[in-house]
Amino acid sequence: MFGAGGGTSSYREAEETDLIVLWGSNARETHPIYFHHVLKAVNRGARLFVVDPRRTSSAQWADVWLGLDVGSDVALANAVGREIIVNDLHNRSFIDRATSDFESYRQSVEPYSLAYAERLTGVPSAAIRELAHAYARADRAQLCWTLGITEHHNAVENVFALINLGLLTGHVGRYGSGLVPLRGQNNVQGGGDMGALPNRLPGGYDVENADDREPFERCYGVSIPARYGKRLDEMFDAMERGEMHALYVIGENPAQSEADSHRTMRLLNGLDWMVVQDIFLTRTAEMADVVFPASASWCETEGTVTSSERRVQRVRKAIDPPGEARDDIDILCDMASRLGQDWGRLSAESVWDELRGLSAWHRGMSYARLEALDGLAWPCPAEDHPGSPFLHARLWQDPIEGKRAPFHAVQHHPPADALTDDFPIRLTTGRRLDSYNTGVQSSGYSSPLRWGETIDIHAADGHRLGIADGELVRVISRRGTIEAPARFDSSLRPGLAFMTMHFPDEVATNILTNDVVDPRSGTAEFKATAIRVEKINERAG
Amino acid sequence: MDIHLIPGAIPSESERDVVDAFLATQDTWDHSPFALGADDRTVHGGHAGRNRRHLLLPTLRTVQNRFGHISRGAMNYLCERLNVPPAEAYGVASFYALLTLEPAPPLVVHVCNDLACHLNGADRLCAILTEQFGPAGKPGADGAAMWKTSPCLGLCECSPAAYVQQAGESPVETVLTSATSESILGTLRGHPVTEIDRQSGKGHPSAPQTMGAERSALRLLTRVGRVDPDSLDDYRASGGFAALRLAFEMGPNGILREVTDSGLQGRGGAAFPTGRKWQAVASSPVHPHYLVANADESESGTFKDRLLMEADPFALIESMTIAGFATGCKQGYVYIRGEYPHAAQRIQHAIDSSRNRGFLGANILDQGVEFDIEVRQGAGAYICGEETALFNSIEGFRGEPRNKPPFPTEAGLFGKPTVVNNVETLYSVLGIILSGGGAFARSGTAGSKGTKLFCVSGHVEHPGVYELPFGATLRDLLGQSGGVRGGASLQAVLLGGAAGSFLTPDELDVALTYEGTRAIGASLGSGVVMVLDERVDLQDFVLRIAAFFRDESCGQCVPCRVGTQRQEEALLRLASGATNGTRQNEIRLIDDIARVMRDASICGLGTTASVAVQSAIAKFGVFQHDR
């Protein structure tokens, strides 16, 4: 944000803050490491607010839980912003000095009175008011979010709505105050930082900027296409149009992880050729023409990962990969040589040092320093630089360094998959503590907490539909039908259902989900599907 | 908070309602961490939710009183509401004798067979009940009622006695005094329980002095039996709240000075200087400060605090308010043992009417003083009379004593500086404020100031609570209470309760002071004077004491948990004649166990569990010879 793709704060700051807001994040289960830092803060006396449609296990730790309607985050955030402004709790000196477009923001949130927001979100106005006042009055506050914000058709607007709150109150760029998108894996941050994004070069450089490209072209000795690549959703659209015929998939299982599985499978089946490089023979790999067995990055390879606090840490090889599995770098180097480029045999460290020559963020991070200091947070532009636990301190310089941070006025747009009489129940998806996405990495282990896939509903919905707890039911969305056991869950309310995607071989949840994507992020709206639930024997009988 | 509920245990609708209704009365914080409010959109949990553990015992009691036991479903629900893991709540519930975790009849009669009742025929009573109703602890034929034996109920002056729990929509808790097999069987068979009001208006039968000419000399018992305990106006008409007004004029420092000058010592048994305790809390920079009135009067043979609370409840409110004002407390607790339902009702009523009339609350007597009192009831655990166990009980944990230091004045209730005083100690403060600490210090003896209440029970003509100035002898006290009943001759006096020691008829001239009793190797304790006539089988009586300690040891520390068990076993071997080695071997073993318990137990229960046993063996030669 504000030109740097990463969370602004270190984990340690979460422990020393006064207020933590988890918005669209069940960190207790999905970011257990981060939640340990949260718990330290809570035990020290910090207050915790959780904004989530479900009363999750994170919400059970919260001082206040706000159970908003799925997809009403912008309305809630705008109402919080308006309440802060109306009560003169916004940080005027920070806004004047370090931000731009405040006035248009102020006007944009004006309609979002507490009463109006209560109608849009379902959250009582008193609770909205409490969140607004607590956030604005806190000396230090961390605003954290995850997929509950980003897996929506208006994901980027959701993020802007939250960033606006940080700007409004000055809760960014200071120790203990920050805006923290929690990353879903140990190295999501690192993947993006290394350029595994269609619009970025390693180190966050812009593909379409010639000055940014030039050092890379010089180093690599090739010219780099001067336009953004395709996002995942755009790739599927290109396959649909017959413009894309071949796919090289590394460490992804799109056959089961993407929304609207029926369509995904049809498109993948229609490819001329697909290569999959993975540590397991995933459903996607089963469809591939060629499979490269790869090594497990956390124990069979050397390298680094980058966590949500932008901390680069060393990963060390403990064991050799089994059978024919090989290190990803080796596989890529062999691919290159077969394609006529001799890269030689590269070590992880030599690849890293090449990156350091190109990325100012990483320049000061030698393997020796990473080892000695237990990792470093970027930006770390020189070998004598201590790293940057938190970002954007520049916004507090007087006058500020660099660009002002802009407000982005955004409006409430309900989920694309509308609730109707035919599809009256809102299904949202998520993850549980002991499983991981489509289960590629976690289904091989047993867990005492695991009960397989279920469609979780409130008991009142079950009674209304004549469904017993545990009964196999039919779940229908506008895109498909699946069967799953119903499970009554008191963390839901009537009209709200929940599923995971951990067991796609038994229950293919993503047959139901909507692949409408945010035009800017390309992420599908996994969090908001309109469904109905039917008793099976009723129809049959 | 990560609560793992008991799988499959679903609360009934009425169990939910009872828990909800109770919690709704508890504070203004009307949300619970799990259960949804009227809207299903917000929950206020977190710190506020996790701070409600102190409501665990009151909630468990409420469920017990309504349903006769605490089902797993109810346990799940109240744990959800209070954010307490069920495993911990189970540990708490199973700690207390009056809480039941398995289905039980709604009506339970707890028949006391402890020391004083034992002396007055409780064993015979229990035998009749076994024959005519069925064995203790087993529901009757229709499953509606059951009787159990109970440790001392604090009704020794009208023994034998029983405590009645009737669960239901309108739960009844009451007691049966001077119980007979007819009255208990009638209760078990469903006859409505009526409480005999022992209040006469011209004195109180439980305090014989109040009925005669000596009453003018009384300080602590002056209102007992004379004023209507439910009338604040009556209390004021007889001098009530005069001390409070005076105390406000003195200010905290003035009060502390008077109480320190008075030389008042704690009446619960330990005799610690009250002024020093108050000074320590008053000067502590850590806030808040708490005040606790220890009304968990469980020492066998003690019933003075019960009488004070039942007959003169407003005096506790007044004295606690003075103590709270002097020591900087805004919140006081009265912890009343579960077997004292009438005292709890009286105190609760006195609190409510005092608050209503401005004697409690945010601005007492318009003086800008803030103080309020909450009643907490125990649920059947002798050990909760130990002050730190009492704190744990209030906080919603098992009533296990804490290691000291830190002492309560430093880290007591909720870890804050806490004044904890016995009820009688607090009552004594009123006289100190009204007449001055100097006057108080001039009464009594060099080492024991003021007057003291004695709980006289057993084989005397007029059992009851007696108030005597320090310095009077045991012989004086026995004379006042009419001597040994029926003209029988005296065998022994148990002084100080189960944790006290036996005196012989040769020791009647001991002065009933702290120093006087110490000189003969005894202690006043809480003021128990239990008289045993010549017909008492002392060996049986000592076995009952040993059984009491074995039963009431909380089990936390090894010396006491194992020692009380081994002590009883050795005594039983001696009683049966099947000794390990000689009798002297067994007695040496008892002495060894006693030393280990005295040296290494966490609290006073373990350190005193052998005192009475050893004194009986040493002075009366019990267990020394085959019978």
Side-chain angles (χ1 to χ4, degrees):
Chain A
M1 63 199 68
F2 322 135
T8 69
S9 303
S10 61
Y11 293 166
R12 178 60 186 266
E13 288 168 73
E15 297 172 18
E16 296 181 359
T17 193
D18 302 323
L19 177 77
I20 298 169
V21 182
L22 290 177
W23 196 311
S25 167
N26 183 16
R28 177 78 190 91
E29 296 193 39
T30 60
H31 295 92
I33 300 296
Y34 185 73
F35 201 75
H36 277 284
H37 298 277
V38 172
L39 282 181
K40 283 188 182 174
V42 165
N43 288 331
R44 243 195 59 249
R47 301 184 74 203
L48 175 66
F49 281 67
V50 173
V51 180
D52 198 306
R54 299 186 299 138
R55 205 153 34 89
T56 59
S57 49
S58 305
Q60 288 165 15
W61 279 96
D63 292 282
V64 183
W65 165 67
L66 292 86
L68 80 177
D69 278 343
V70 173
S72 63
D73 303 84
V74 168
L76 185 67
N78 281 357
V80 168
R82 180 184 185 276
E83 177 70 12
I84 289 171
I85 296 169
V86 166
N87 287 282
D88 200 21
L89 296 169
H90 49 309
N91 190 328
R92 286 168 185 279
S93 63
F94 180 78
I95 292 168
D96 290 347
R97 177 199 305 167
T99 72
S100 60
D101 306 320
F102 171 67
E103 188 51 30
S104 71
Y105 173 72
R106 196 189 59 73
Q107 286 168 17
S108 74
V109 299
E110 185 50 36
Y112 293 87
S113 66
L114 294 178
Y116 181 53
E118 180 171 332
R119 283 203 300 284
L120 292 178
T121 65
V123 178
S125 47
I128 303 174
R129 184 174 190 278
E130 198 175 344
L131 170 59
H133 287 245
Y135 185 64
R137 288 165 191 264
D139 184 36
R140 296 172 172 178
Q142 296 274 336
L143 179 52
C144 316
W145 64 88
T146 326
L147 301 181
I149 284 297
T150 53
E151 287 186 346
H152 284 285
H153 76 283
N154 55 346
V156 173
E157 293 185 347
N158 282 342
V159 173
F160 280 145
L162 299 186
I163 291 175
N164 288 338
L165 298 180
L167 295 179
L168 193 58
T169 51
H171 281 317
V172 66
R174 285 185 296 130
Y175 187 85
S177 274
L179 297 163
V180 184
L182 297 171
R183 304 303 198 161
Q185 308 185 19
N186 65 337
N187 198 28
V188 171
Q189 182 72 46
D193 295 348
M194 296 305 115
L197 294 170
N199 59 345
R200 296 283 156 183
L201 292 160
Y205 294 96
D206 190 335
V207 170
E208 295 192 347
N209 181 319
D211 290 342
D212 280 7
R213 272 199 317 277
E214 192 274 330
F216 289 88
E217 292 177 332
R218 192 150 34 84
C219 173
Y220 297 163
V222 294
S223 73
I224 294 170
R227 56 191 166 74
Y228 293 153
K230 286 185 167 53
R231 297 187 314 248
L232 187 53
D233 62 305
E234 292 168 333
M235 292 188 204
F236 283 117
D237 289 346
M239 292 178 215
E240 186 104 82
R241 291 194 302 270
E243 294 167 9
M244 183 177 278
H245 306 281
L247 204 58
Y248 185 176
V249 180
I250 303 178
E252 277 277 342
N253 184 20
Q256 293 181 316
S257 67
E258 296 311 301
D260 196 351
S261 303
H262 282 325
R263 174 174 181 255
T264 310
M265 296 292 276
R266 176 168 54 78
L267 295 174
L268 293 178
N269 275 319
L271 290 167
D272 294 345
W273 188 76
M274 179 161 68
V275 182
V276 172
Q277 181 171 326
D278 209 313
I279 58 172
F280 292 110
L281 191 67
T282 63
R283 175 59 61 87
T284 311
E286 286 172 2
M287 300 165 67
D289 298 277
V290 178
V291 176
F292 295 146
S295 56
S297 63
W298 58 276
C299 61
E300 294 166 357
T301 61
E302 293 288 332
T304 62
V305 294
T306 310
S307 68
S308 298
E309 60 173 350
R310 295 165 283 100
R311 178 181 293 271
V312 179
Q313 291 165 288
R314 281 277 284 115
V315 174
R316 295 161 190 88
K317 178 174 172 172
I319 51 173
D320 287 323
E324 295 178 278
R326 294 172 61 193
D327 191 287
D328 290 286
I329 293 177
D330 289 350
I331 296 172
L332 289 171
C333 287
D334 272 10
M335 275 291 287
S337 67
R338 300 291 178 91
L339 292 169
Q341 292 277 334
D342 185 9
W343 294 353
R345 304 218 60 84
L346 297 175
S347 70
E349 186 169 6
S350 63
V351 174
W352 180 253
D353 284 338
E354 178 191 281
L355 169 86
R356 289 173 57 214
L358 293 164
S359 164
W361 287 350
H362 300 97
R363 191 155 295 142
M365 299 180 180
S366 65
Y367 265 30
R369 287 194 80 203
L370 290 176
E371 180 107 25
L373 299 171
D374 287 332
L376 282 162
W378 62 252
C380 179
E383 294 237 13
D384 57 356
H385 191 281
S388 306
F390 66 96
L391 296 182
H392 309 304
R394 66 175 183 86
L395 295 174
W396 290 88
Q397 307 289 323
D398 192 14
I400 69 161
E401 285 173 30
K403 283 200 316 187
R404 286 167 172 258
F407 282 94
H408 288 275
V410 289
Q411 297 295 330
H412 169 66
H413 299 292
D417 211 12
L419 296 179
T420 59
D421 288 348
D422 282 344
F423 299 101
I425 294 178
R426 177 61 75 199
L427 171 70
T428 192
T429 61
R431 286 138 185 91
R432 296 192 197 283
L433 175 65
D434 57 346
S435 293
Y436 196 78
N437 286 352
T438 61
V440 170
Q441 295 170 69
S442 57
S443 61
Y445 311 95
S446 65
S447 161
L449 298 175
R450 202 178 286 162
W451 56 75
E453 190 63 85
T454 51
I455 166 99
D456 295 355
I457 54 175
H458 190 271
D461 281 337
H463 297 322
R464 191 170 48 76
L465 296 164
I467 293 166
D469 197 4
E471 183 177 332
L472 192 69
V473 297
R474 185 177 291 117
V475 186
I476 304 162
S477 82
R478 294 189 173 96
R479 284 153 300 282
T481 301
I482 59 165
E483 291 182 356
R487 176 176 162 272
F488 292 177
D489 185 345
S490 61
S491 75
L492 301 168
R493 59 175 164 271
L496 181 64
F498 177 75
M499 296 184 79
T500 74
M501 56 194 70
H502 296 320
F503 309 95
D505 296 335
E506 287 92 59
V507 178
T509 306
N510 277 329
I511 286 176
L512 302 171
T513 49
N514 192 357
D515 68 345
V516 58
V517 297
D518 180 280
R520 280 174 281 195
S521 73
T523 307
E525 192 156 58
F526 290 98
K527 292 296 184 191
T529 306
I531 59 163
R532 68 172 176 272
V533 177
E534 287 180 355
K535 200 172 169 68
I536 289 180
N537 54 15
E538 202 169 58
R539 278 266 290 259
Chain B
M1 190 163 172
D2 304 334
I3 303 282
H4 297 285
L5 296 176
I6 308 162
I10 314 242
S12 71
E13 202 67 30
S14 56
E15 285 170 333
R16 284 171 183 272
D17 290 347
V18 165
V19 171
D20 288 343
F22 172 72
L23 290 179
T25 65
Q26 282 310 296
D27 49 20
T28 54
W29 188 75
D30 59 352
H31 295 281
S32 71
F34 274 69
L36 297 165
D39 65 79
D40 51 9
R41 300 300 192 139
T42 57
V43 168
H44 286 63
H47 293 284
R50 289 186 292 278
N51 286 341
R52 284 172 31 119
R53 173 136 189 182
H54 66 105
L55 293 175
L56 180 59
L57 183 55
T59 312
L60 289 168
R61 278 185 53 93
T62 304
V63 173
Q64 172 77 37
N65 289 346
R66 173 62 186 81
F67 300 104
H69 81 290
I70 300 153
S71 75
R72 284 160 184 241
M75 186 69 101
N76 258 355
Y77 187 64
L78 68 89
C79 284
E80 268 188 35
R81 291 289 322 252
L82 294 173
N83 223 342
V84 175
E88 295 228 357
Y90 177 88
V92 171
S94 59
F95 189 82
Y96 296 97
L98 300 183
L99 302 179
T100 318
L101 288 157
E102 299 300 328
L107 178 69
V108 180
V109 180
H110 301 260
V111 180
C112 177
N113 67 345
D114 213 335
L115 305 180
C117 290
H118 173 86
L119 295 177
N120 284 313
D123 292 348
R124 200 168 56 249
L125 195 59
C126 291
I128 297 172
L129 293 177
T130 305
E131 190 189 308
Q132 301 203 2
F133 185 84
K138 289 268 183 333
D142 61 355
M146 162 167 99
W147 73 280
K148 293 176 167 178
T149 57
S150 167
C152 185
L153 294 170
L155 293 161
C156 314
E157 84 280 22
C158 34
S159 57
Y163 159 71
V164 183
Q165 276 181 308
Q166 167 84 66
E169 278 183 38
S170 312
V172 179
E173 283 182 272
T174 189
V175 296
L176 297 171
T177 53
S178 305
T180 60
S181 54
E182 289 79 28
S183 68
I184 294 174
L185 285 167
T187 304
L188 284 167
R189 286 169 183 150
H191 295 295
V193 183
T194 49
E195 187 205 345
I196 306 149
D197 194 352
R198 294 171 61 81
Q199 204 76 21
S200 71
K202 292 179 183 150
H204 198 295
S206 291
Q209 291 165 308
T210 62
M211 312 186 61
E214 318 95 294
R215 90 163 283 119
S216 58
L218 301 175
R219 297 184 192 172
L220 296 167
L221 298 175
T222 173
R223 276 180 292 264
V224 168
R226 293 290 169 112
V227 302
D228 176 356
D230 282 333
S231 166
L232 188 148
D233 292 329
D234 216 14
Y235 177 67
R236 293 182 76 190
S238 55
F241 289 115
L244 181 63
R245 177 165 285 279
L246 205 54
F248 281 170
E249 286 169 19
M250 289 177 183
N253 286 335
I255 301 169
L256 292 173
R257 191 175 55 243
E258 296 299 331
V259 172
T260 305
D261 289 352
S262 75
L264 175 64
Q265 292 147 293
R267 302 300 197 226
F272 189 82
T274 306
R276 280 231 314 265
K277 193 184 275 186
W278 286 22
Q279 299 264 17
V281 172
S283 62
S284 171
V286 179
H287 285 273
H289 298 172
Y290 290 106
L291 172 68
V292 177
N294 184 347
D296 190 69
E297 183 176 58
S298 307
E299 182 60 53
S300 257
T302 317
F303 47 95
K304 62 191 176 62
D305 296 339
R306 191 202 84 235
L307 178 68
L308 289 174
M309 290 189 289
E310 285 181 359
D312 191 13
F314 286 97
L316 183 62
I317 312 303
E318 183 177 5
S319 57
M320 283 182 73
T321 307
I322 292 169
F325 174 61
T327 56
C329 303
K330 290 185 171 141
Q331 179 68 49
Y333 290 89
V334 188
Y335 187 94
I336 304 177
R337 66 180 300 204
E339 297 88 340
Y340 280 1
H342 301 308
Q345 286 156 16
R346 287 259 156 80
I347 294 292
Q348 187 61 56
H349 179 269
I351 290 171
D352 293 342
S353 37
S354 298
R355 196 183 291 134
N356 191 34
R357 297 281 283 273
F359 289 100
L360 285 176
N363 185 12
I364 297 171
L365 295 178
D366 282 332
Q367 299 287 308
V369 177
E370 181 183 349
F371 184 71
D372 214 325
I373 301 174
E374 207 177 300
V375 171
R376 289 304 175 96
Q377 286 182 270
Y382 169 77
I383 191 60
C384 289
E386 199 282 337
E387 55 196 17
T388 58
L390 189 157
F391 299 152
N392 279 340
S393 181
I394 292 180
E395 291 178 24
F397 295 90
R398 288 165 66 86
E400 291 171 348
R402 303 173 184 169
N403 277 309
K404 291 191 266 192
F407 291 95
T409 49
E410 191 185 327
L413 186 62
F414 300 114
K416 302 296 181 186
T418 302
V419 176
V420 51
N421 282 139
N422 171 260
V423 168
E424 183 190 346
T425 313
L426 288 162
Y427 276 69
S428 301
V429 168
L430 295 179
I432 292 169
I433 298 298
L434 289 171
S435 316
F440 189 90
R442 283 189 292 278
S443 63
T445 65
S448 311
K449 306 297 187 187
T451 62
K452 173 84 189 88
L453 298 181
F454 294 96
C455 311
V456 182
S457 63
H459 297 138
V460 288
E461 283 293 345
H462 305 296
V465 176
Y466 289 81
E467 179 177 0
L468 293 177
F470 275 116
T473 64
L474 182 54
R475 194 181 298 282
D476 296 336
L477 178 59
L478 292 184
Q480 284 220 28
S481 49
V484 180
R485 193 164 65 207
S489 58
L490 178 70
Q491 179 178 187
V493 172
L494 178 62
L495 184 67
S501 46
F502 290 97
L503 303 189
T504 65
D506 298 337
E507 294 175 305
L508 293 187
D509 290 315
V510 61
L512 294 174
T513 59
Y514 299 118
E515 64 275 22
T517 50
R518 201 179 307 125
I520 60 162
S523 73
L524 275 190
S526 52
V528 173
V529 175
M530 201 176 289
V531 176
L532 284 64
D533 74 14
E534 59 201 337
R535 291 163 302 185
V536 175
D537 180 340
L538 196 55
Q539 195 164 299
D540 258 14
F541 195 79
V542 172
L543 282 173
R544 183 70 191 87
I545 292 177
F548 173 83
F549 281 112
R550 185 252 305 139
D551 203 36
E552 293 294 347
S553 171
C554 79
Q556 181 187 204
C557 69
V558 176
C560 175
R561 179 176 70 225
V562 177
T564 53
Q565 185 84 36
R566 293 287 173 265
Q567 170 174 272
E568 187 192 21
E569 287 168 3
L571 290 172
L572 285 169
R573 285 195 299 271
L574 284 164
S576 70
T579 54
N580 288 337
T582 65
R583 287 183 172 272
Q584 285 316 309
N585 271 344
E586 295 282 21
I587 289 169
R588 269 199 299 277
L589 174 65
I590 289 170
D591 290 342
D592 278 353
I593 293 169
R595 191 177 315 116
V596 172
M597 287 199 283
R598 195 167 54 240
D599 289 350
S601 294
I602 289 178
C603 82
L605 189 149
T607 58
T608 60
S610 295
V611 174
V613 172
Q614 287 183 301
S615 79
I617 292 172
K619 289 186 182 173
F620 293 84
V622 290
F623 299 108
Q624 304 265 24
H625 309 287
D626 291 334
R627 303 210 285 183

